[in-house]
Amino acid sequence: MAFYRQLGNIPPKRHTQHRDESGNLYYEELMGEEGFSSDSSLLYHREIPSAIVDATVWELRDQSTTPNHPLKPRHLKLHTLFPESTWNETDVVTGRRLILGNADVRLSYVVAAAPSPLYRNAIGDEMVYIESGEATVETVFGTLEACEGDYVLIPMSTTHRWIPKGDKPLRAYAIEANSHIVPPKRYLSRFGQLLENAPFCERDLHGPTAPMIAEGTDIEVLVKHRTSAGIVGTRMVYPTHPFDVVGWDGCLYPYTFNISDYEPITGRVHQPPPAHQAFEGNNFVICNFVPRKVDYHPLSIPVPYYHSNVDSDEIMFYCGGDYEARKGSGIGQGSISIHPGGHAHGPQPGAYERSIGAEFFDELAVMVDTFRPLELGEGALACEDEAYAWSWAGRGPKQ
């Protein structure tokens, strides 16, 4: 990420002796990306961070996927996946249901009111969007407070846990990468500063406010990782609590970014999807569609033109407002639309003409475009609206 931050108790020179008040050495952990040739942070632990006393299998929830074949657009109703009776027994980590996935990214959804176990994703970064609710996210770097509209970026291999709070359950949309998730290069200077033309800046990214120390022995951490057989889990047991960092500094750490701080890029005529981009990973991008003034050419058509994104699958998660282009399709809060490469897609019938003269769209959606086809997870198969594919024509296949 290249935005430097320093918290807690660190020595004036890295890789030198650093001792507590009793003269005991702290233990350095250099957490770095790309073989220590990219961003990193240096953490100072009270105990040896490598020490484990047990490792057993953690059985993950169903990670299998099914090809989108025959190819068709789809509508998923995520709010039907978690009845209210399940919320108090569900946590943000183990309760996730896989919606879509490929070798680059996996999209999951969960509604949770229970605290999660300690967790570490050793496959890639996670970007978790909070549809509603609030949570404290405790991490080895310190504590984050997350609320509705927040993206929570958890760097790869960061030990953390989710603690929902407040009266509402936490509704979370998890984007799990097989890579790192970063701002687009076109928004950054050659030294890594966000440029003036970027739709957000460093002030909008909120990292931990202070290190945290937790006590305990024989502490379990769930680790998601990859083998030749696919994605698997391991339950590691540490002799002391991994939250024992007294200080750290560097450019690699978790943070929150609220979608309301995203400043939309608009124009006289309709802007293409890259104008809405916020982040990117390997072979995928994340875009924000937020409330905004729309096209102001006197002959503009504010809703999207019909389009064939020939290299991508387009996944839109509808999380607020009233999405003008999808009126009449059954799509609403908590819906996902899947518009795959190989199928031209665009506004529902009537929306094209109806949008003429509009000056403002009150919509909120998170889009993920992938550059390899996505397959359907068990969660998608459990909540599909079978009629959506035929909604532009007004009728389905002949029986």
Side-chain angles (χ1 to χ4, degrees):
M1 186 169 58
F3 310 141
Y4 177 80
R5 193 175 182 89
Q6 174 185 321
L7 283 183
N9 179 11
I10 64 173
K13 183 75 173 176
R14 61 182 178 177
H15 312 318
T16 60
Q17 296 177 34
H18 186 33
R19 299 179 182 272
D20 65 17
E21 293 178 353
S22 299
N24 301 309
L25 279 171
Y26 292 118
Y27 298 95
E28 281 186 326
E29 177 194 2
L30 180 61
M31 184 174 174
E33 298 175 342
E34 300 178 13
F36 302 109
S37 61
S38 186
D39 293 348
S40 66
S41 284
L42 193 57
L43 298 86
Y44 292 86
H45 292 265
R46 298 197 303 183
E47 305 291 344
I48 296 174
S50 319
I52 58 172
V53 295
D54 197 10
T56 56
V57 172
W58 165 35
E59 294 290 351
L60 299 178
R61 196 159 189 159
D62 187 356
Q63 299 293 300
S64 62
T65 57
T66 302
N68 184 6
H69 185 227
L71 187 71
K72 63 178 183 177
R74 298 173 187 263
H75 169 209
L76 311 178
K77 297 183 175 182
L78 300 189
H79 283 189
T80 66
L81 290 175
F82 292 89
E84 185 174 352
S85 60
T86 67
W87 296 348
N88 288 335
E89 288 75 42
T90 304
D91 70 77
V92 173
V93 171
T94 66
R96 295 177 189 179
R97 297 186 68 173
L98 181 63
I99 305 301
L100 296 156
N102 62 20
D104 304 309
V105 65
R106 292 164 305 285
L107 308 177
S108 300
Y109 187 72
V110 64
V111 183
S116 81
L118 289 170
Y119 167 61
R120 183 162 66 240
N121 186 332
I123 299 172
D125 291 356
E126 291 191 359
M127 182 72 85
V128 181
Y129 179 78
I130 307 302
E131 180 190 358
S132 62
E134 299 177 81
T136 297
V137 187
E138 296 179 345
T139 84
V140 71
F141 291 89
T143 298
L144 300 170
E145 298 299 330
C147 63
E148 182 174 321
D150 273 343
Y151 286 100
V152 183
L153 187 281
I154 306 291
M156 180 179 181
S157 286
T158 297
T159 303
H160 66 285
R161 67 180 171 198
W162 292 79
I163 304 174
K165 62 182 187 178
D167 298 330
K168 297 194 296 185
L170 191 68
R171 294 183 176 272
Y173 180 57
I175 302 167
E176 300 181 24
N178 188 28
S179 61
H180 303 300
I181 299 174
V182 295
K185 289 182 180 178
R186 68 181 183 277
Y187 294 165
L188 301 171
S189 75
R190 63 191 179 101
F191 298 112
Q193 182 180 5
L194 282 162
L195 297 170
E196 284 293 301
N197 65 320
F200 56 95
C201 74
E202 289 85 353
R203 297 181 191 181
D204 301 321
L205 309 180
H206 306 285
T209 54
M212 66 169 296
I213 302 294
E215 303 293 341
T217 58
D218 292 339
I219 304 298
E220 290 187 348
V221 178
L222 303 183
V223 182
K224 185 181 292 182
H225 57 107
R226 191 183 294 275
T227 70
S228 58
I231 298 171
V232 296
T234 292
R235 190 183 306 272
M236 290 185 174
V237 180
Y238 288 77
T240 57
H241 206 293
F243 292 168
D244 68 344
V245 173
V246 299
W248 61 270
D249 75 333
C251 296
L252 181 64
Y253 51 85
Y255 62 85
T256 64
F257 166 64
N258 196 277
I259 197 168
S260 66
D261 287 325
Y262 182 86
E263 302 301 332
I265 298 170
T266 61
R268 291 186 76 219
V269 295
H270 196 81
Q271 299 299 294
H276 302 279
Q277 187 179 355
F279 302 100
E280 63 188 13
N282 183 48
N283 281 331
F284 73 93
V285 299
I286 302 172
C287 300
N288 292 330
F289 289 80
V290 301
R292 64 195 183 279
K293 288 186 175 182
V294 290
D295 323 332
Y296 43 89
H297 187 284
L299 296 179
S300 68
I301 301 175
V303 296
Y305 32 74
Y306 293 89
H307 51 287
S308 295
N309 191 349
V310 297
D311 294 313
S312 300
D313 283 4
E314 178 194 283
I315 311 304
M316 194 79 81
F317 175 50
Y318 303 87
C319 44
D322 186 10
Y323 202 78
E324 187 70 30
R326 292 283 163 257
K327 282 184 176 177
S329 66
I331 281 177
Q333 178 84 23
S335 288
I336 275 184
S337 64
I338 303 171
H339 296 141
H343 174 263
H345 58 278
Q348 302 302 131
Y352 204 60
E353 298 82 2
R354 201 166 49 238
S355 73
I356 293 174
E359 297 182 352
F360 185 84
F361 282 173
D362 182 20
E363 62 187 26
L364 193 65
V366 172
M367 185 177 80
V368 175
D369 271 10
T370 66
F371 296 104
R372 283 198 276 191
L374 285 161
E375 296 193 342
L376 305 168
E378 62 83 20
L381 299 175
C383 68
E384 184 175 3
D385 168 15
E386 297 283 354
Y388 179 71
W390 331 119
S391 61
W392 287 270
R395 62 179 178 86
K398 294 180 180 180
Q399 301 300 318

